[in-house]
Amino acid sequence: MKHIFNIKTLLLSLLLGVGTLITSCNDDDDVMKADALFRPIIGETTIGGQWIELEWDRYTGAERYVLTLAGKAVGQTDSLKMEVETDTTFYRFEGLEYDTDYLIKIKSIGNGLESKYYVVPTITTTDYPTKLKGVQAIDNKALVAWDDAGYTTLNLVQVVTSEGSTQSEEVEIANRALTNEEQVSRQVIFDNLEPSCNYIVRAYINGTYQGKKVFSTAAPEVFEGAVSNLRDIPEEEAYDMLTSSFYEDLVAEYPDQDITIVLAGGQKYEMTGLKLPATTGTIKLITGLSLKGNAIMEVASNYDIAGNVGGFIGEKISFIDHANAPKSSGNFGGTYLFNLSVSDTKIGTMKFVNCNIKYKRGICRIKTGADIDNFIIENCVIDSIGGYGITNADNGDADILNIKVTNSTFSHCEKLFVSTKPSAKLVNSFYAENCTFIYNMKIGDNYMFDFNKMKFSSDPTLKNCIFGPGGKDGKAGAISGYRGEGSLTVDNCFATKDITWFIAEGADAPSAPIEMNSTGADTNGTFENAANNNFKLLINDLKNVAGDPRWW
């Protein structure tokens, strides 16, 4: 039975095959036509600033292709829509907008049929080759600058993503027609921005787009303790507001607390004679985030203290001369930063960080029986200081216990660190590291480090420092090095070949030299332009080795 079934099956198959052969011999008009076309698939895309070119493969039955394009340039209300037809397998859209998203679709047409659309992933044209420079941004301001371009308008938007949304949108902040002055200076500052936000600035010439820059504002600064923020005080009001009563009111409001006073960069403030009120807290003056550099303190007369003060810190401040005490007058104007005059008072820590201090008779003088526990200078430039020096315990009962200076430059200082009145008091420590000293001290028997008869609990130390010649106004001369009880530790310090040590009349050798390695060159061979306060090192072997790191 199995064998018979197989024969029947074979006969049936042969009959069906004959039917198929007969059908295949019919006329072409009877051939079944395809009911659809394949969608064209984009194989290659090339993009420019104002054009997009696409290529695709041709499929059987396709005679021509229809392409549609849609997109909306930033700042325009209507979308650009375009539909074209071609019988080639490539097409170039031209006359588009820079930096704009476009949606393109393509379909095949042939033999009375058409395919479904193939949707091209969103294409963005390239941006205009702008002459806008990188934007400098702080927490609430941004400086936009450009090369010579003739811009007439800048448009600023904030990029915002609403809560729960994955799409961002642009919110216009300013559309600024540039003044003649701004066009000449080629820079603009946008104010009143929000911290930690994303922005886009776009440039235009008479309405024609000229490119953009994307930037983000910084996070707001966070300060410890109480804060008095003066950054938004009008310039004319801010100048003379740092009076005794200002400090007294702050300390009264925040008794025995750390207080930070935030100043505006580039703003000038007047520093007049006043006494800081007693507090166990630290009073800190600091320039907030700024596009204009340090706040500028014009010193008319010095700070003093009325009682014990936990600490004073100046950070990112430029202390300069005052119109009533100009640098051209005697002793560079004759003013101090601090001139302590109240006996039995003390400052816990006096510290200057990232400051420029110029044109002072002295920086910290104690003329009575007052004390400072710690005097610290970090990353500062000190220039043109008169005969009372950087620190001066100018009284037999005065005491500056610990002195530390690092990563700083000292130039044209007639005195440096001195104790002009002999005292039996103890200086715990003196430490200087990575500092540059040049053109300091008057010519003669003047010591750079003069602690007279004061004693140290540990040897004073100079480490990784570079010294140039002494003298005044760039005229080199012989000076003295160190005087004090005990020895001076010198570790990896260098001196220019033209430094000379003072030899007293009738003596055969200097009495107070500092033994150091030689830079192997004189001042001009060691520094780029010392006469103009440019102490950039010319000797590669000294870079990352010694001296103030700002000159490496």
Side-chain angles (χ1 to χ4, degrees):
M1 294 293 295
K2 184 176 180 180
H3 181 66
I4 295 172
F5 175 77
N6 287 342
I7 291 174
K8 290 180 178 179
T9 302
L10 178 60
L11 290 172
L12 180 61
S13 299
L14 290 172
L15 289 172
L16 291 173
V18 170
T20 301
L21 291 173
I22 294 171
T23 301
S24 66
C25 294
N26 290 343
D27 294 335
D28 290 343
D29 292 339
D30 296 327
V31 176
M32 183 179 289
K33 295 181 180 179
D35 59 359
L37 294 176
F38 284 113
R39 292 179 300 170
I41 305 298
I42 301 299
E44 185 175 345
T45 303
T46 309
I47 305 168
Q50 294 184 288
W51 55 268
I52 298 172
E53 185 171 285
L54 307 106
E55 296 184 21
W56 57 91
D57 292 329
R58 185 186 295 277
Y59 291 100
T60 301
E63 298 172 351
R64 61 190 188 280
Y65 305 91
V66 174
L67 297 93
T68 64
L69 173 144
K72 183 170 70 174
V74 174
Q76 296 186 3
T77 56
D78 297 328
S79 297
L80 171 67
K81 294 182 179 180
M82 188 183 304
E83 183 172 289
V84 296
E85 187 173 304
T86 179
D87 59 1
T88 65
T89 57
F90 65 89
Y91 189 80
R92 182 179 176 116
F93 289 99
E94 296 187 291
L96 306 181
E97 298 288 344
Y98 287 99
D99 190 35
T100 299
D101 293 338
Y102 288 99
L103 180 66
I104 299 175
K105 299 187 296 183
I106 181 172
K107 65 181 179 180
S108 304
I109 296 177
N111 292 323
L113 300 172
E114 62 181 49
S115 72
K116 294 182 178 180
Y117 275 108
Y118 172 80
V119 180
V120 182
T122 300
I123 296 175
T124 304
T125 50
T126 57
D127 202 5
Y128 188 93
T130 186
K131 292 186 178 181
L132 288 170
K133 297 180 180 178
V135 178
Q136 299 179 51
I138 55 174
D139 56 336
N140 62 356
K141 296 181 181 181
L143 173 65
V144 180
W146 57 91
D147 293 323
D148 187 15
Y151 296 150
T152 57
T153 307
L154 293 182
N155 181 263
L156 179 69
V157 300
Q158 183 178 347
V159 181
V160 178
T161 303
S162 302
E163 186 175 354
S165 174
T166 59
Q167 298 295 320
S168 61
E169 59 179 344
E170 297 183 2
V171 178
E172 185 176 275
I173 303 300
N175 194 45
R176 185 164 181 165
L178 300 178
T179 65
N180 290 336
E181 183 180 352
E182 290 167 341
Q183 289 176 324
V184 171
S185 66
R186 300 174 192 165
Q187 65 178 33
V188 160
I189 291 180
F190 287 99
D191 298 308
N192 302 317
L193 306 185
E194 295 183 24
S196 304
C197 289
N198 300 320
Y199 292 86
I200 301 173
V201 60
R202 294 184 174 92
Y204 295 86
I205 297 179
N206 298 323
T208 301
Y209 178 64
Q210 301 289 302
K212 74 176 189 301
K213 285 292 181 181
V214 178
F215 67 93
S216 300
T217 48
E221 291 179 296
V222 178
F223 302 103
E224 295 181 358
V227 177
S228 176
N229 193 338
L230 309 183
R231 292 171 70 196
D232 295 325
I233 302 296
E235 186 171 345
E236 60 279 3
E237 181 182 341
Y239 180 71
D240 56 4
M241 71 180 301
L242 298 177
T243 61
S244 293
S245 60
F246 173 83
Y247 289 100
E248 289 165 0
D249 291 345
L250 273 180
V251 170
E253 185 177 359
Y254 306 106
D256 295 326
Q257 297 182 46
D258 292 343
I259 300 173
T260 298
I261 302 167
V262 185
L263 307 179
Q267 168 70 54
K268 291 182 178 180
Y269 300 86
E270 184 178 48
M271 177 176 163
T272 59
L274 56 86
K275 290 182 178 179
L276 297 178
T279 175
T280 60
T282 293
I283 297 173
K284 181 177 184 178
L285 288 174
I286 183 172
T287 300
L289 292 174
S290 170
L291 296 171
K292 297 182 179 180
N294 290 354
I296 302 166
M297 195 71 66
E298 295 184 344
V299 181
S301 58
N302 54 271
Y303 280 129
D304 202 342
I305 58 174
N308 292 343
V309 175
F312 175 88
I313 299 175
E315 184 169 345
K316 295 188 289 185
I317 310 289
S318 292
F319 296 94
I320 64 169
D321 59 336
H322 187 281
N324 296 334
K327 61 187 177 183
S328 57
S329 60
N331 291 303
F332 302 111
T335 62
Y336 305 85
L337 287 190
F338 277 86
N339 191 13
L340 305 188
S341 64
V342 181
S343 296
D344 300 321
T345 58
K346 180 174 76 171
I347 295 180
T349 295
M350 184 181 295
K351 185 176 182 180
F352 299 94
V353 183
N354 296 317
C355 289
N356 296 319
I357 306 176
K358 293 186 174 184
Y359 317 125
K360 301 290 164 286
R361 190 177 191 185
I363 292 179
C364 177
R365 177 197 181 200
I366 305 177
K367 63 181 181 180
T368 187
D371 297 338
I372 297 174
D373 286 342
N374 303 290
F375 180 90
I376 300 169
I377 289 178
E378 295 178 0
N379 197 37
C380 292
V381 173
I382 314 294
D383 182 81
S384 300
I385 307 299
Y388 280 86
I390 312 301
T391 60
N392 192 331
D394 193 22
N395 185 287
D397 292 322
D399 209 354
I400 303 175
L401 288 174
N402 302 288
I403 301 172
K404 184 177 182 181
V405 296
T406 55
N407 302 332
S408 297
T409 296
F410 301 85
S411 58
H412 307 102
C413 302
E414 294 180 4
K415 294 282 188 180
L416 288 172
F417 302 92
V418 297
S419 296
T420 56
K421 301 293 190 296
S423 171
K425 286 197 171 185
L426 178 69
V427 179
N428 283 341
S429 65
F430 173 84
Y431 184 84
E433 182 176 4
N434 284 116
C435 291
T436 296
F437 298 90
I438 183 169
Y439 296 142
N440 298 307
M441 316 309 295
K442 291 182 178 179
I443 296 170
D445 190 14
N446 289 286
Y447 299 86
M448 287 189 287
F449 308 101
D450 188 1
F451 296 100
N452 214 324
K453 296 181 180 180
M454 298 184 80
K455 297 179 181 179
F456 289 85
S457 60
S458 60
D459 287 344
T461 298
L462 300 174
K463 183 177 181 180
N464 302 339
C465 294
I466 296 179
F467 289 79
K472 187 177 181 181
D473 299 328
K475 297 177 181 178
I479 56 174
S480 294
Y482 167 75
R483 179 169 66 171
E485 295 291 326
S487 60
L488 176 69
T489 297
V490 181
D491 180 9
N492 194 48
C493 291
F494 297 81
T496 59
K497 292 178 68 175
D498 51 353
I499 194 170
T500 56
W501 302 108
F502 175 75
I503 301 175
E505 185 176 351
D508 296 327
S511 60
I514 299 176
E515 298 296 333
M516 293 178 281
N517 302 314
S518 173
T519 64
D522 63 8
T523 299
N524 292 332
T526 301
F527 305 110
E528 188 167 287
N529 191 349
N532 289 308
N533 286 1
N534 177 357
F535 306 119
K536 183 176 181 180
L537 288 170
L538 298 176
I539 301 171
N540 290 330
D541 289 345
L542 291 177
K543 296 177 181 179
N544 301 301
V545 172
D548 185 344
R550 81 187 68 241
W551 307 116
W552 289 350

